[in-house]
Amino acid sequence: MPEVPIRLLLIEDNPLHSRLVQQLLKADAQLHCEVEAVERLDQGLTRLSRGNVDLVLLDLVLPDSQELETLWRVRLVAPQVPVIILTGLDDVKLAARAVESGAYDYLVKSHLKGASLGRAVRYTLGRARARGGEWDSPMFRLAQQQFLKASQYMNLDDNIRQRLLFPQRAQMVSFPFFRDDRRQVETVFGYRVQHVLTMGPTKGGIRYHQEVDLGEVAALAMWMTWKCALMRLPFGGAKGGVRVDPTTLSKSELQRLTRRYTTEILDMIGPDKDIPAPDLGTDEQVMAWLMDTYSQQVGHSVPAVVTGKPVVLGGSLGRREATGRGLVYLIEASAEHLGLDLSGATAVVQGFGNVGSHAARFLAERGVRLVGVGDVSTALYRREGLSMEALQAHVDRHRMLAGYAEAEEIEHDELLELDCDILVLAALQNQVTVENAGRLGCRLLAEGANGPTMLEADEILHERGVFVLPDILGNAGGVTVSYFEWVQGMQNLTWTLEEINARLKAILLDAFQRTLSRARREHLDMRTAALIEGVERVTEAKLLRGLFP
């Protein structure tokens, strides 16, 4: 059966360049392309509107369009068709903005060779196909675009860049568990993804949520890789999840589900291979069940197989509050950099789970006035300040903020736009978008959640002078104390809470200063600077280890 050719649309106004590109593609033995070439953008858009185009090679400077507007117009007409920029503009900032806007690659004509063009086409088509189905997640697209933006600023070697775009290992399972009536069997999907195996064992949490998919877990694993590298921890990034709503499960159902999921991923995890931890929808009790199930299978107790477990089973002091505590350490450092006096400053906290509630408490202890707070049930505002003790007591009784009487109830969207000095994002992803970024009322945006800010919003915040503590730095306290727990477990040692907090603060502040110095030196936003710090370390390790065989 003959191979189906790749239908490629070349939008290029220079006839010499057009012929050269077509000759290079024709000479590539690994590609079988049918190239259709047009000279103007309006002709290209008309062709795209008819469909049946697999990939676009796009010049940015055309008779009827200039620079990024050219890309935006193509994406508007054909958002699902992958685009490779092929331009004479050798501008790293433009390249970064192009991949940020959805381009799959950015090639400069003066550097163009047949091998690089052919590989760009093959890799782009491979990524586009992989993004379909389970991989097609907004979070995974965001994580990849953030990495691609950083790689443009770094001029990262293309071999490394392509290698890091997808995880090294991913396991997807479906498995059953009994509901309490023993008549109903529920079947759910579970995942475990290991992004990079180069740095040592992989490390990452397990989340239970009704919208978990492979793309989301892969994005979280990728962010964990950069986070561990930024903190200089000896781990690669991993993540796991089960697509289930844990709030609908009894404790016995949750235990059965956890134990069955553990047996499904048993070959992937281990204290020297991959160490899970709690995440959204899981806690230290879930980690205890996971540890016990693993230990039953290997025939002896293995506390170091998980972190975030109860202290009596080898857990670490300070682990439960580590993410929120670490975020506040970094807020203190950021406030000092900005000349902001925390005593009397105002804060809004979105999310009142483990991270948000602890961050709010530690901020209140430093004299910060909490004027707004929200969770999935409601958003609350009180200009004079909210009592942390009263809020926590209400949540302890009712499990959520809804019904709290000592504050004004507002819309969730309004919460992010309240005037405040500090906005803490400790809920879910994609909260700050291009639509609301211009209306945020904060001076300092501290990300305790993963992926709460869309890439397009970053530029708006940067232009407005909002100082952003990016997620891979801001919420790194959890994995750092997880590392401490793993070390204590492997060595059968116990550290005091004072030792743990001192070590945590030292590691976080070192990462903050390195990130801030790079951002100033290279005129970057904090997120890109943090990503480059992490990616550089992973790149160095990969190059030193080499390629087998």
Side-chain angles (χ1 to χ4, degrees), residues 313-324:
L313 294 178
S316 177
L317 297 170
R319 173 61 185 88
R320 185 182 302 171
E321 65 270 23
T323 307

Side-chain angles (χ1 to χ4, degrees), residues 74-221:
V74 170
R75 297 277 292 155
L76 186 64
V77 170
Q80 301 303 320
V81 178
V83 178
I84 296 175
I85 301 298
L86 188 57
T87 180
L89 302 173
D90 191 358
D91 183 336
V92 68
K93 290 187 177 179
L94 182 61
R97 291 190 65 198
V99 297
E100 184 179 44
S101 298
Y104 276 60
D105 212 336
Y106 188 99
L107 304 179
V108 180
K109 293 176 185 177
S110 59
H111 303 158
L112 192 63
K113 296 179 182 178
S116 60
L117 177 60
R119 181 163 63 174
V121 170
R122 291 193 304 276
Y123 284 174
T124 294
L125 290 171
R127 285 167 51 202
R129 288 165 185 153
R131 278 183 169 180
E134 278 280 350
W135 290 105
D136 190 20
S137 156
M139 280 184 73
F140 193 43
R141 289 196 294 272
L142 174 62
Q144 286 187 321
Q145 285 179 279
Q146 289 176 350
F147 166 65
L148 287 169
K149 178 181 179 181
S151 70
Q152 290 291 341
Y153 279 111
M154 296 171 64
N155 193 25
L156 185 65
D157 179 87
D158 190 50
N159 296 299
I160 297 290
R161 180 164 62 102
Q162 299 296 345
R163 183 67 192 86
L164 294 173
L165 271 167
F166 285 92
Q168 287 187 240
R169 292 179 183 166
Q171 183 176 2
M172 181 171 70
V173 299
S174 64
F175 60 91
F177 71 98
F178 273 115
R179 301 304 294 253
D180 283 342
D181 61 11
R182 286 286 168 173
R183 291 193 300 270
Q184 182 182 354
V185 174
E186 193 91 16
T187 297
V188 295
F189 285 91
Y191 310 88
R192 189 67 185 173
V193 170
Q194 297 166 347
H195 178 239
V196 167
L197 305 175
T198 308
M199 314 299 291
T202 51
K203 186 83 187 74
I206 292 173
R207 67 172 45 184
Y208 291 171
H209 193 269
Q210 59 270 29
E211 295 181 5
V212 163
D213 58 27
L214 185 59
E216 177 177 314
V217 175
L220 294 165

Side-chain angles (χ1 to χ4, degrees), residues 341-347 360 362-370 422:
D341 183 4
L342 286 184
S343 179
T346 56
F362 294 133
L363 285 172
E365 290 174 359
R366 286 156 175 80
V368 176
R369 177 161 48 97
L370 184 67
I422 304 159

Side-chain angles (χ1 to χ4, degrees), residues 1 7 25 41 56 152 158 198 249-250 294 306-307 321 342 351 372 404 424 430 456-457 460 482 515-516 527 546-547:
M1 185 175 179
R7 295 160 300 191
L25 291 170
L41 181 60
V56 176
Q152 290 291 341
D158 190 50
T198 308
L249 303 179
S250 69
Y294 181 89
V306 296
T307 59
E321 65 270 23
L342 286 184
Y404 183 77
V424 175
N430 302 338
E456 298 85 351
I460 298 172
S482 275
T515 301
L516 183 62
R527 188 184 315 283
L547 185 65

Side-chain angles (χ1 to χ4, degrees), residues 6-21:
I6 300 164
R7 295 160 300 191
L8 194 151
L9 177 63
L10 172 62
I11 308 177
E12 168 62 70
D13 66 322
N14 187 315
L16 290 176
H17 290 160
S18 180
R19 285 198 295 272
L20 174 62
V21 169

